[in-house]
Amino acid sequence: MSDLLERVTAFRAAFARCQAAETIELSGAFTVHDPDFPRSQEHNQLIVDSSDADPAALPELAAQGLGPRQQYRITVLDEALGERATSVLAAAGYERDTDLILVRETAGCTLPEPAAHPVELAELRAAVFRQQLEWGLDEDLARQLTERRTARLRGAEKVFFLAVRTPDGEIAAWADLYLDRTSGLAQLEDLVTAVPHRKQGHGDTLLATGLALAAAAGIPQLFLIADVTDWPREWYSCRGFTEFGRSHSFLNR
């Protein structure tokens, strides 16, 4: 594992621990739990942060750490272990998703004009909630996936909610930005443009702003996570990001 991938893996594990309401340390893994957002898989899952964990033990570790749940999510941060675990977890009723870890250097990045700006959750709440409903989620799940941003504020040294507004002040697009000068890493997460405002360059504005803020904080690299099967991977590649690792998550049927 490269030094960069080791640092990103450590960052992701630390972020999950710091934002969690409760954690339970297990053999080669840990669970995160938040009773305020029980339907958020991000905040209620088993995270495997060791390459030496036993794949066959993972379903039992998830049940042990999380208690009774309708579905269990297992995130394996080490790519090779995730590959080894795939057949074992498939036999236990789990389906796999693969995420790409993409990175870009921040050197020379400056704020675009116009730029995105940090906002409080109170300003962002209505737009995020409305978008969740438009994706077909029920109101309770949409509320939890909106409000869970309050937990993310605990995850890193600096956490910003960035937003792009229309000329009349409506929030058109948003993203999370996490900055950690100790590790020399920044992460951009949950970049979304509301349906009525797509194809107007708002995603580029958010991305350029995140890169510039990371550069201004003295952070040399920004990474993000993209689904291996989804179109954003190509969009990010066209904007200077390169793949340097993969991780896997598993959800039981």
Side-chain angles (χ1 to χ4, degrees):
M1 185 183 293
S2 70
D3 171 70
L4 176 58
L5 189 54
E6 285 182 354
R7 288 190 290 120
V8 167
T9 299
F11 177 95
R12 294 176 68 190
F15 191 97
R17 283 188 171 94
C18 288
Q19 70 167 331
E22 303 172 12
T23 61
I24 296 177
E25 299 296 328
L26 301 163
S27 178
F30 62 96
T31 54
V32 294
H33 174 60
D34 196 319
D36 290 335
F37 315 111
R39 297 178 67 187
S40 170
Q41 293 173 9
E42 175 188 349
H43 294 90
N44 300 272
Q45 62 171 318
L46 176 73
I47 298 175
V48 185
D49 60 344
S50 169
S51 60
D52 298 324
D54 178 7
L58 298 183
E60 177 58 31
L61 289 178
Q64 177 185 340
L66 295 168
R69 286 182 61 82
Q70 186 174 11
Q71 283 190 306
Y72 292 93
R73 177 177 173 175
I74 299 172
T75 295
V76 181
L77 298 179
D78 181 78
E79 179 180 359
L81 177 62
E83 294 287 350
R84 295 198 303 273
T86 297
S87 60
V88 175
L89 292 177
Y94 283 80
E95 295 181 346
R96 187 184 86 174
D97 287 321
T98 298
D99 288 323
L100 301 179
I101 307 169
L102 306 174
V103 68
R104 181 182 154 169
E105 302 293 322
T106 66
C109 293
T110 58
L111 284 172
E113 180 57 47
H117 296 282
V119 298
E120 299 295 329
L121 178 58
E123 301 172 78
L124 195 59
R125 181 177 282 112
V128 174
F129 182 73
R130 183 168 55 249
Q131 184 61 62
Q132 302 287 349
L133 294 178
E134 291 179 359
W135 282 333
L137 305 184
D138 63 71
E139 287 197 11
D140 178 61
L141 181 55
R143 180 193 62 78
Q144 291 189 35
L145 298 192
T146 300
E147 297 300 325
R148 68 183 181 179
R149 277 180 163 77
T150 58
R152 290 179 180 169
L153 288 168
R154 302 190 293 262
E157 178 186 347
K158 294 287 185 181
V159 175
F160 296 106
F161 304 138
L162 302 178
V164 177
R165 296 183 184 271
T166 65
D168 63 0
E170 180 184 358
I171 290 181
W174 54 90
D176 292 1
L177 177 66
Y178 314 138
L179 303 178
D180 186 81
R181 286 173 291 187
T182 301
S183 66
L185 291 171
Q187 181 183 8
L188 196 71
E189 178 67 16
D190 250 0
L191 191 156
V192 175
T193 299
V195 172
H197 303 290
R198 290 180 180 171
K199 299 187 182 301
Q200 298 177 40
H202 299 318
D204 281 303
T205 299
L206 287 165
L207 187 58
T209 300
L211 286 163
L213 291 176
I219 295 173
Q221 292 156 324
L222 182 144
F223 78 94
L224 50 84
I225 309 296
D227 191 307
V228 72
T229 63
D230 209 354
W231 66 266
R233 60 178 297 193
E234 302 298 337
W235 188 83
Y236 288 118
S237 294
C238 291
R239 286 152 179 81
F241 283 82
T242 58
E243 177 187 347
F244 72 101
R246 299 184 176 205
S247 61
H248 304 288
S249 62
F250 302 85
L251 190 67
N252 65 326
R253 296 186 291 271

